[in-house]
Amino acid sequence: MRTLISTAFISLDGVVEAPGGEPGYRNAGWTFKDIDFLPEAYEIKGREQKEATAMLMGRISYEAFSPVWPGMEDFADYKVMPKYVVSSTLAEDDLVSNWGETTILRSLDDVAALKDTEGGPIIVHGSASLSQALSDVGLIDRYHLLVFPILLGAGKRLFSATDKDAQKLKLVEHEVYANGLQKNVFDVVR
């Protein structure tokens, strides 16, 4: 069974919306405004590209990343990696042709079937709604969180507000950086 990893830039109060400046959110770009850039704080992002063997995302994240990431040197490893988009509305004609193999999955059952295949880790980028749904049905195995020292209030959250049984996490890696960022890697305890 493959490991499903949810990775996120997250504010201290749990918001993951528009970290890179995506339009339509009041505090868009909060990861680089007023927070000093320290390359060492982002080491985990490069490691994710080297360790992951597939990328999973929701339709909205796919539509945000696919026009930009294929041409970015920082994300070169993702270009050749198989990608899976969970969407009930995306059509094959909506997929970009310059970002490698991309498969549309229509349900969380399809994601569970993908996890049951042979292979290495699958990384989930962005995709707040998808991450919430995956977590709620117990499909996420690990979280890679870069926690930013900022409170954003309103915005999309990484974790849902669904009333469910407690889910225990085990901290397996952590570091604090001079700019206030915290790296927290949690395994889901089953």
Side-chain angles (χ1 to χ4, degrees), residues 9-19 22-30 127-129 132 150-161:
F9 294 148
I10 187 167
S11 69
L12 191 58
D13 58 346
V15 174
V16 294
E17 187 168 354
E22 298 80 0
Y25 177 61
R26 175 183 179 168
N27 293 311
W30 51 269
S127 308
S129 297
Q132 289 177 4
I150 189 167
L151 301 174
L152 297 172
K156 291 180 185 175
R157 311 249 176 223
L158 181 61
F159 302 104
S160 77

Side-chain angles (χ1 to χ4, degrees), residues 86-188:
V86 181
S87 174
S88 61
T89 59
L90 195 67
E92 293 289 332
D93 291 349
D94 297 326
L95 300 176
V96 298
S97 60
N98 64 338
W99 204 21
E101 175 190 346
T102 304
T103 304
I104 300 171
L105 304 178
R106 298 295 181 192
S107 69
L108 295 181
D109 288 338
D110 290 343
V111 175
L114 175 63
K115 271 192 68 172
D116 280 338
T117 62
E118 292 293 319
I122 303 166
I123 195 95
V124 181
H125 277 284
S127 308
S129 297
L130 176 61
S131 287
Q132 289 177 4
L134 293 168
S135 176
D136 286 348
V137 298
L139 289 176
I140 294 179
D141 302 298
R142 175 174 276 196
Y143 291 95
H144 289 182
L145 305 177
L146 276 181
V147 183
F148 285 72
I150 189 167
L151 301 174
L152 297 172
K156 291 180 185 175
R157 311 249 176 223
L158 181 61
F159 302 104
S160 77
T162 301
D163 186 13
K164 61 183 178 182
D165 291 339
Q167 187 174 50
K168 186 173 179 179
L169 305 175
K170 178 182 178 186
L171 184 66
V172 295
E173 183 181 341
H174 63 90
E175 194 161 346
V176 178
Y177 302 96
N179 62 357
L181 264 69
Q182 298 174 35
K183 172 179 62 181
N184 294 303
V185 177
F186 293 98
D187 280 344
V188 175

Side-chain angles (χ1 to χ4, degrees), residues 5-9 41-55 69 74-75 77-78 81 120-126 142-146 173 183-185:
I5 302 167
S6 177
T7 183
F9 294 148
Y42 297 90
E43 172 275 335
I44 193 168
K45 306 316 286 174
R47 187 169 16 128
E48 288 170 351
Q49 285 189 68
K50 298 297 182 198
E51 294 175 357
T53 59
M55 188 184 338
W69 281 21
D74 288 345
F75 301 110
D77 290 326
Y78 287 139
M81 186 179 295
I122 303 166
I123 195 95
V124 181
H125 277 284
R142 175 174 276 196
Y143 291 95
H144 289 182
L145 305 177
L146 276 181
E173 183 181 341
K183 172 179 62 181
N184 294 303
V185 177

